[in-house]
Amino acid sequence: MRLKDFELKRIDRYIIRQFLGTFVFSIVLMIAITVVFDVNEKLDYFLKPEVTVHEIVFDYYFNFIPYFISLFSPLFTFISVIFFTSSLANRSEIIAILSNGVSFRRLTRPYLISAFIIAGCNFALTGYIIPPASITRIDFQNKYIRNKKIDYASNIQLEVEPGVFAYFDSYRDGARMGYRFSLDHFEDKTLVSRLTASSIHYDSLYRWTIIDYVIRDFDGMLEHITTGTRRDTTLTFAPSDFLISENDCETMTMPQLAEHIRRQKRRGIGNIQLFEIEYHQRYATILSFFIMTLIGVSLSSRKIKGGMGLNIGIGIGLSFSYILFSKITSTFAINGYVSPMIAVWIPNIIYAAITVYLYRRAPN
């Protein structure tokens, strides 16, 4: 294959410009509509005396808009392809292109290039740029709108380090206090030391203060007991390791998500399905851009009687069914019925098969 075969022709630049232009226009239009409805819905919260205009604009909406764009980018991509390709087909431009010896496969090249650009930008946003911004947005929501932050947990057990296990009967984040705490140290599956305390207080940077404690050290049949009222110590875990809120996964970059999942698995903490779903979803979304693009161009490249309305209706139906199916499989993963990775990728696999079927039936 020669190098010039990869050069962009005038028709390629035209399609890419139309694709990206329609995509940006649809996003701007939808954002404007969404912000108006969101302001109307949250107006009572925004009118509180303690809420400032600066916080509404820069802490909430300045961070909400990129989050909204990344969340619905596959849908916007699909609608953009359906809309402008149907327009090309209705003006007989698709027929003219194909009748001049351009194959349908060659026609899809600029579509895939555009999808690659959008997918790359979206992955950069969701993986590295939006998570830090989401911290500010979620803090605003928790403070002024609806507090979803978890500040209490009970029956907590985790592995602090190999062979060392911690247990809380309960923990309250408001007071930074844990109650009925124990710390067991095993060597070769043999208990060599056990610390129990009536309560434990978290300071910062893994600094804890143990209150009213008893330490029992075992040496064969011998036992040595140490008691005390207060003792400062370092334990390599923090309340954030077990006080997991619904939105915490949105505030982590890809490296942070991978490290959090690895650390939580090693410590034996089981409620990490949301984090695994978020991690795999960010990768699966990349493929969804190409699936949505090829389905869109396969449906809308044929000129049909009645205009683009039917194409847009079918396209929107398919895209919403894809989103609904993704939510259903994610629910199964959260409830432990299926692996998070399988739950995330099943919709892509099924809709990839639909894509192949529609692509083969498209005009040649």
Side-chain angles (χ1 to χ4, degrees), residues 159-218:
E159 187 176 13
V160 179
E161 55 187 61
V164 180
F165 298 87
Y167 173 81
F168 295 85
D169 182 68
S170 62
Y171 182 86
R172 295 186 179 277
D173 195 47
R176 290 192 166 192
M177 292 292 295
Y179 302 95
R180 294 184 63 185
F181 173 75
S182 66
L183 189 69
D184 297 334
H185 184 193
F186 291 85
E187 291 183 0
D188 297 327
K189 299 182 179 181
T190 300
L191 182 64
V192 297
S193 177
R194 177 177 175 83
L195 179 150
T196 57
S198 62
S199 59
I200 183 171
H201 179 264
Y202 178 69
D203 184 8
S204 61
L205 298 175
Y206 301 141
R207 296 289 300 175
W208 296 81
T209 300
I210 303 171
I211 302 170
D212 295 333
Y213 64 89
V214 176
I215 301 175
R216 301 169 63 192
D217 295 313
F218 303 99

Side-chain angles (χ1 to χ4, degrees), residues 240-254:
S240 59
D241 290 328
F242 49 83
L243 294 177
I244 300 174
S245 302
E246 180 181 346
N247 298 324
D248 285 351
C249 56
E250 299 175 9
T251 64
M252 296 184 181
T253 62
M254 292 300 292

Side-chain angles (χ1 to χ4, degrees), residues 23 27-28 30-31 62-77 118-131 133-134 137 250-252 278 281-286 288-289 292 322-323 327:
F23 176 77
I27 283 182
V28 172
M30 190 60 67
I31 285 174
F62 188 77
N63 298 306
F64 169 78
I65 290 174
Y67 168 76
F68 179 83
I69 291 173
S70 68
L71 188 64
F72 291 100
S73 284
L75 177 60
F76 292 143
T77 300
I118 297 173
C121 293
N122 187 78
F123 183 75
L125 282 173
T126 57
Y128 300 94
I129 298 174
I130 292 178
S134 292
R137 174 178 59 84
E250 299 175 9
T251 64
M252 296 184 181
E278 179 71 19
Q281 187 67 55
R282 292 180 185 179
Y283 283 112
T285 301
I286 297 175
S288 70
F289 283 101
M292 294 290 100
Y322 174 81
I323 295 171
K327 294 297 182 183

Side-chain angles (χ1 to χ4, degrees), residues 32-313:
I33 296 172
T34 302
V35 169
V36 169
F37 278 98
D38 192 68
V39 170
N40 182 66
E41 180 184 354
K42 297 181 173 65
L43 190 59
D44 290 340
Y45 301 106
F46 294 160
L47 291 177
K48 292 179 180 179
E50 63 269 23
V51 185
T52 65
V53 175
H54 183 276
E55 288 177 311
I56 296 172
V57 174
F58 292 98
D59 290 353
Y60 183 65
Y61 282 111
F62 188 77
N63 298 306
F64 169 78
I65 290 174
Y67 168 76
F68 179 83
I69 291 173
S70 68
L71 188 64
F72 291 100
S73 284
L75 177 60
F76 292 143
T77 300
F78 194 76
I79 293 174
S80 301
V81 174
I82 288 284
F83 184 80
F84 90 85
T85 307
S86 294
S87 298
L88 295 179
N90 286 335
R91 295 194 299 264
S92 300
E93 293 182 53
I94 298 291
I95 296 175
I97 294 171
L98 297 177
S99 63
N100 278 279
V102 178
S103 66
F104 185 73
R105 179 179 178 182
R106 174 63 180 83
L107 179 65
T108 60
R109 182 187 296 179
Y111 285 92
L112 295 178
I113 293 173
S114 302
F116 178 81
I117 294 171
I118 297 173
C121 293
N122 187 78
F123 183 75
L125 282 173
T126 57
Y128 300 94
I129 298 174
I130 292 178
S134 292
I135 297 175
T136 305
R137 174 178 59 84
I138 292 172
D139 286 344
F140 179 91
Q141 292 177 181
N142 289 337
K143 185 177 180 180
Y144 297 120
I145 300 175
R146 187 178 297 108
N147 190 359
K148 294 184 178 181
K149 186 177 180 180
I150 303 297
D151 58 4
Y152 174 81
S154 60
N155 296 323
I156 307 157
Q157 184 173 352
L158 69 158
E159 187 176 13
V160 179
E161 55 187 61
V164 180
F165 298 87
Y167 173 81
F168 295 85
D169 182 68
S170 62
Y171 182 86
R172 295 186 179 277
D173 195 47
R176 290 192 166 192
M177 292 292 295
Y179 302 95
R180 294 184 63 185
F181 173 75
S182 66
L183 189 69
D184 297 334
H185 184 193
F186 291 85
E187 291 183 0
D188 297 327
K189 299 182 179 181
T190 300
L191 182 64
V192 297
S193 177
R194 177 177 175 83
L195 179 150
T196 57
S198 62
S199 59
I200 183 171
H201 179 264
Y202 178 69
D203 184 8
S204 61
L205 298 175
Y206 301 141
R207 296 289 300 175
W208 296 81
T209 300
I210 303 171
I211 302 170
D212 295 333
Y213 64 89
V214 176
I215 301 175
R216 301 169 63 192
D217 295 313
F218 303 99
D219 183 12
M221 299 298 293
L222 301 178
E223 177 181 354
H224 178 69
I225 300 178
T226 304
T227 61
T229 55
R230 296 180 67 88
R231 179 173 180 173
D232 295 330
T233 187
T234 300
L235 300 174
T236 56
F237 66 92
S240 59
D241 290 328
F242 49 83
L243 294 177
I244 300 174
S245 302
E246 180 181 346
N247 298 324
D248 285 351
C249 56
E250 299 175 9
T251 64
M252 296 184 181
T253 62
M254 292 300 292
Q256 290 171 340
L257 265 177
E259 173 60 22
H260 180 80
I261 292 169
R262 185 196 63 79
R263 185 174 67 250
Q264 297 296 78
K265 283 185 175 180
R266 179 175 59 82
R267 290 178 171 176
I269 299 177
N271 54 343
I272 58 171
Q273 291 89 342
L274 285 174
F275 295 88
E276 291 183 291
I277 290 172
E278 179 71 19
Y279 181 80
H280 293 295
Q281 187 67 55
R282 292 180 185 179
Y283 283 112
T285 301
I286 297 175
L287 180 59
S288 70
F289 283 101
F290 296 95
I291 291 175
M292 294 290 100
T293 298
L294 288 177
I295 290 179
V297 71
S298 298
L299 282 174
S300 56
S301 58
R302 188 189 304 272
K303 185 175 182 179
I304 60 175
K305 189 176 181 180
M308 68 177 70
L310 180 60
N311 287 335
I312 294 176

Side-chain angles (χ1 to χ4, degrees), residues 1-29:
M1 186 173 290
R2 295 170 298 179
L3 181 61
K4 69 177 186 178
D5 292 334
F6 294 95
E7 295 179 358
L8 293 179
K9 308 297 183 183
R10 180 178 297 179
I11 186 62
D12 296 324
R13 293 192 294 270
Y14 174 71
I15 291 176
I16 291 173
R17 187 168 59 250
Q18 289 291 320
F19 190 157
L20 298 181
T22 307
F23 176 77
V24 172
F25 175 78
S26 63
I27 283 182
V28 172
L29 181 62

